[in-house]
Amino acid sequence: MSGTNPRLWQDVPCAPPAGEFVCQTDAVPDGGAFMATFGDMPKPFRLLVVRSGSSYFGYVNRCSHFGVPLAQKIGQLILDPGKELTCNVHYSRFDWRDGRCLGGECAGEGLLPVPLEVVEQRLVIGSTNDEH
């Protein structure tokens, strides 16, 4: 990423606060993904959540290479469940569990992780003290 791109999810405009509701846990299928937006258009905070069993992983839906969403809609998201996510613009590939760059034009820069917590069958934004 270039120097003008955020290094932490909290630095992205319209980042939600800790405790903000994301979705019900069952809205994210096992081996699948869920997208949420926070803030105002035209540049809201875009969150991407993926699930493996009882583990949920959150990322800013923003390719580290080009700064665009990995996908605008869930049906456009390219994923290999439990393994990787792929940007549908230049096909940079990212690890499902930690967001690190696996290949492509992301040049070693991964996705920005967003901490998530499960509270009574609800996914919420986790504490900013968590590093994911």
Side-chain angles (χ1 to χ4, degrees):
M1 289 188 298
S2 72
T4 60
N5 290 330
R7 294 280 180 194
L8 299 171
W9 71 273
Q10 303 97 311
D11 297 334
V12 177
C14 299
E20 182 83 14
F21 175 75
V22 175
C23 65
Q24 295 297 125
T25 54
D26 62 3
V28 188
D30 191 10
F34 179 86
M35 293 179 179
T37 57
F38 301 88
D40 297 324
M41 297 296 182
K43 292 195 175 190
F45 182 95
R46 297 176 189 273
L47 177 68
L48 174 62
V49 178
V50 294
R51 176 180 167 199
S52 290
S54 61
S55 297
Y56 297 85
F57 306 95
Y59 304 103
V60 176
N61 184 4
R62 184 177 191 280
C63 181
S64 59
H65 160 240
F66 204 58
V68 297
L70 297 180
Q72 294 285 342
K73 300 176 186 175
I74 202 75
Q76 299 169 337
L77 186 63
I78 302 168
L79 54 84
D80 184 356
K83 295 181 183 175
E84 66 183 47
L85 302 160
T86 302
C87 178
N88 68 6
V89 177
H90 291 118
Y91 304 104
S92 292
R93 297 182 301 90
F94 303 93
D95 187 89
W96 182 276
R97 293 184 172 269
D98 62 16
R100 69 187 155 86
C101 176
L102 296 175
E105 298 190 36
C106 46
E109 294 288 339
L111 300 175
L112 297 176
V114 178
L116 299 173
E117 295 176 7
V118 176
V119 178
E120 298 176 1
Q121 304 301 311
R122 298 166 17 114
L123 274 180
V124 299
I125 300 296
S127 168
T128 56
N129 294 331
D130 293 345
E131 288 298 320
H132 175 78

